Amino acid sequence: QKQLVESGGGLVQPGGSLRLSCAASGFFFDSYAIGWFRQAPGKEREAVSCITDRMRTTNYADAVKGRFTISRDNAKNTVFLQMNNLKPEDTAIYYCGLNWQPHLGRCAIDPDWFEYWGQGTQVTVSS
């Protein structure tokens, strides 16, 4: 059974940091580009970041460039999102997701790029 399970969300003050993790199972994780998107209440899905299967390319939304870093550990079937200098506007449910085309070699900051995702983890940035 294919699964993506996110963890690491929580409540943090502005300027703080969180590290999200997403554990994958049930498929060949290292064959697929993977990334993160978020959705705040009443707002559209927003792609945040993605990383290709062989980690040669990472992409970021303009809103998070310089603050967020995506990485993956193919040996542990896990993708991470290190989030620094968090702002209240980063508050959302964060989902990890992927596109099912293998060995794509590229990934897009586009919410429609994601074809499969987990249940999400809540991130709240507030003082």
Side-chain angles (χ1 to χ4, degrees):
Q1 181 180 359
K2 300 178 179 69
Q3 270 195 314
L4 295 170
V5 180
E6 301 94 335
S7 61
L11 173 63
V12 64
Q13 292 186 340
S17 298
L18 284 174
R19 188 190 195 209
L20 305 184
S21 300
C22 173
S25 60
F27 61 97
F28 292 107
F29 176 77
D30 57 1
S31 295
Y32 301 97
I34 193 166
W36 295 86
F37 66 91
R38 64 189 182 186
Q39 188 161 25
K43 294 189 176 181
E44 299 287 325
R45 284 196 303 172
E46 178 186 17
V48 173
S49 182
C50 63
I51 183 168
T52 53
D53 55 321
R54 298 183 182 182
M55 298 175 272
R56 291 174 182 168
T57 301
T58 57
N59 291 319
Y60 298 92
D62 287 343
V64 307
K65 278 181 183 175
R67 301 188 296 123
F68 291 12
T69 303
I70 191 170
S71 61
R72 65 190 291 168
D73 185 337
N74 285 345
K76 296 183 178 180
N77 290 356
T78 304
V79 61
F80 304 96
L81 186 67
Q82 177 67 44
M83 306 187 296
N84 298 329
N85 190 22
L86 283 160
K87 303 176 181 180
E89 52 264 41
D90 294 318
T91 295
I93 299 174
Y94 283 70
Y95 301 86
C96 74
L98 55 81
N99 185 291
W100 283 122
Q101 187 168 350
H103 308 301
L104 194 59
R106 63 186 186 274
C107 62
I109 300 301
D110 178 352
D112 294 332
W113 179 83
F114 298 91
E115 296 177 334
Y116 183 80
W117 50 88
Q119 85 290 348
T121 186
Q122 176 71 48
V123 171
T124 303
V125 185
S126 175
S127 54

